[in-house]
Amino acid sequence: MAAQQRPPIIERLVVIGLGLIGGSFAKGLRESGLCREVVGVDLDPESRRLAVELGVVDRCEADLAAACQGASVIQLAVPILAMEKLLRELAKLDLGDAVLTDVGSAKGNVVRAARLAFDGLPARFVPGHPIAGSEQSGVEASNSELFRRHKVILTPLERTDAAALQLVDTLWRALGADVEHMAVEHHDEVLAATSHLPHLLAFGLVDSLAKRSENLEIFRYAAGGFRDFTRIAGSDPVMWHDIFLANREAVLRTLDTFRSDLDALRDAVDAGDGHQLLGVFTRARVAREHFSKILARRAYVDAMHSNNVIFLANPGGRLSGRIRVPGDKSISHRSIMLGSLAEGTTEVEGFLEGEDALATLQAFRDMGVVIEGPHHGRVTIHGVGLHGLKAPPGPIYLGNSGTSMRLLSGLLAAQSFDVTLTGDASLSKRPMNRVAKPLREMGALIDTAAEGRPPMTIHGGRRLGGMTYEMPMASAQVKSCLLLAGLYAAGSTTVIEPAPTRDHTERMLRGFGYPVSVQGNRATVESGHKLIATHIEVPADISSAAFFLVAGSIAEDSELVLEHVGVNPTRTGVIDILRLMGADITLENPREVGGEPVADLRVRSAKLKGIDIPEDLVPLAIDEFPVLFVAASVAEGRTVLRGAEELRVKESDRIQVMADGLLALGAKVEPTPDGIIIDGGTLGGGDVHSHGDHRIAMSFSVASLRATAPIRIHDCANVATSFPNFLGLAAQVGIRVTEEGKS
Ligand code: SPQ
């Protein structure tokens, strides 16, 4: 397909070397119309003839000087080891203002050669490297689409002329390439690891097997794995010979590192160390998946940086059906933490495969714990004991997850190694002094960024002492953080809470055989005990079920059953508040699963009325307020919330962000410093912003059930942090919300 014609921005493009890359560059730009003339140069007369015949260039020259006369841009697309000679020849010519650029796969040697040839690097030289290719070669394979959606790395130097860089950047972008700029050394290191090393291994493996006397046997039985792994050994040997010589130093560095890793694997096989092997293989598999997602441009844990995902929620709808929402986020986090610190193998079922819980899982893998899965909610954790964690290879990235950061800070405060905990833009704004301060009182050494924000660096080798801490706010994360630190602190650690908060940590510690004493609002642990692996069944998350409890209540003629929901009394504030508002919710089939109460929840449409929300229910429904505000905005009368200033320091300022969105939909809302006043009425449609907060995005999806026009909800990628299949389940029960641009 010919590129869209545009007005010329340069007079003459000269491409030296009409192979696949040079030919494709020439052809694509010729079709784009950006160059008034495209001239080709090649030593081979047949290539020159074909280049004109196939429309790759306007004309060809055998003579370099003739071709370069009046050139605006000269692209050097010859094999990398021929670059040096070509640059020497070019240096003898009068190139005027021409911009020089190249396509060599290693940049250090090209830059060195240019510096020598020109006696100092020309300012209008822009080194480049398109990461694209094909099994075909030669000018006849020229393809103007070859670079579309492929990376092109430009490696400008300090002296590089900004206008020249901009021009080369523009030309590659016109071919549909994703252009990135990088330092020369960085480029060569990255390419040595990601491209050159794998080619060396593929060539080396095939050659090694082919040399053996039984080679026919080996190749006859070679399965798909061998074919996949060695596909690239079919690449052009001369080109690769050139690349290894050109990028010698960087290749040697990466090869040496790999050799020592390979030796470690050999030792593990020799020693029958299955644990080590499983560790390497599970980590590799996860890394591979992560990498595939990056290639497919899908979010992994860093959803905040992904494109603006917009939910389009169409008005109205009646709800029906039975669904099971995903596993409880708080319990999923804790299952990984305690399972990792336990002795023996813990099996988890119903694990939430959302990005937050996966961030915790990855953190423990980074600290040497072998974790299999998750696969359909099943996770197998090979615990390392309370003192078995290892220093992670670098900072631990926790994405959007406040729970991960706060709980981890407690249990990391007493390890022997230093760790830095980082997160995405939202997590980087959340207050960490609430955990850093009491941990320091226990003897921890912790650095934070200004005002106690992440990143947190937790120094190892500290001896912690137990203490009694009266929490200034009702926070399960602070309580859990200190109890986890208490597992390592001399003596006993007691946390006193001003109001009841979720007690999953206390329950699960007991499930792992660790004694916890709870007396009224005091929870105490003592060090010196151990955690014994167990089986954990994670119930469905009441915080996720809450969206459907409100949806089923406010939609007309609706009845919905939510199966197997965790109804721990420290989490059921949402049911109590909705019932006070007149909701029809019943608990069926109550049972206990692994120390946590569970029930099926039936919700039917009801006429809701506004209420003064009792303050003692606030910590018991802390995550459900965004959707409760939606319920209040369509209820009859006024709803008042007080004592909920904690909502301002969640993934977003949930009071302000919900107030802004509801106001945009025409609701009567007044935010207050510690809550909100909502006068129920009707909701219109419009654009609202979730500010990357999963619970805000899902709440406005529910609001559509009573809206009179469509609601467009911006910035919804983070729904995947807590509720990966929200849109699927919403559609299944009758909420008309989809991702914009997808059916
Ligand atoms: O993990 P994160 O980002 O803090 O998640 C939230 C949520 O809405 O999913 C809070 F924004 O849940 C917290 C909850 O608000 C999870 C949690 C826990 O698992 O211990 C406790 C609560 O936080 P806090 O600050 O009240 O202790």
Side-chain angles (χ1 to χ4, degrees), residues 337-338 341 386-387 406-415 435-436 438-444 446 458 462-467 477-495 505 509 514 524-528:
M337 296 182 188
L338 299 192
L341 299 177
L386 275 167
H387 301 281
R406 297 206 179 110
L407 271 59
L408 271 174
S409 66
L411 69 88
L412 292 175
Q415 303 298 327
V435 287
L439 285 172
R440 286 183 191 127
E441 285 175 36
M442 292 175 79
I446 296 177
I458 300 157
R462 308 288 297 181
R463 285 183 66 80
L464 304 189
M467 69 162 177
Q477 292 181 352
V478 176
K479 173 177 67 174
S480 303
C481 161
L482 299 179
L483 292 177
L484 291 173
L487 304 183
Y488 297 90
S492 67
T493 302
T494 297
V495 187
T505 304
L509 277 169
Y514 204 103
T524 304
V525 290
E526 273 177 22
S527 55

Side-chain angles (χ1 to χ4, degrees), residues 88 102 241 381 389 394 408 423 492:
R88 275 201 308 269
D102 80 304
H241 148 275
I381 309 164
L389 295 179
L408 271 174
S492 67

Side-chain angles (χ1 to χ4, degrees), residues 329-331 333-334 356 400-404 406-407 427 430 434 474-480 501-502 504-505 543 571 619 622-623 646 649-651 654 693-695 722:
K329 182 156 79 81
S330 296
I331 299 177
H333 281 300
R334 288 156 171 86
D356 276 15
N400 193 243
S401 178
T403 307
S404 310
R406 297 206 179 110
L407 271 59
L427 184 55
R430 294 179 68 184
R434 54 180 59 200
S475 165
Q477 292 181 352
V478 176
K479 173 177 67 174
S480 303
T501 66
R502 66 193 69 188
H504 306 300
T505 304
S543 297
R571 297 285 297 281
I622 192 71
D623 295 336
E646 275 294 302
V649 291
K650 298 293 181 186
E651 286 86 323
R654 287 179 174 164
D693 187 331
H694 50 137
R695 302 208 190 277
S722 67

Side-chain angles (χ1 to χ4, degrees), residues 214-235:
E214 72 279 25
N215 60 34
L216 252 181
E217 274 298 279
I218 291 174
F219 290 128
R220 185 173 305 139
Y221 297 112
F226 177 81
R227 261 196 308 264
D228 289 349
F229 183 77
T230 58
R231 181 182 60 79
I232 50 179
S235 310

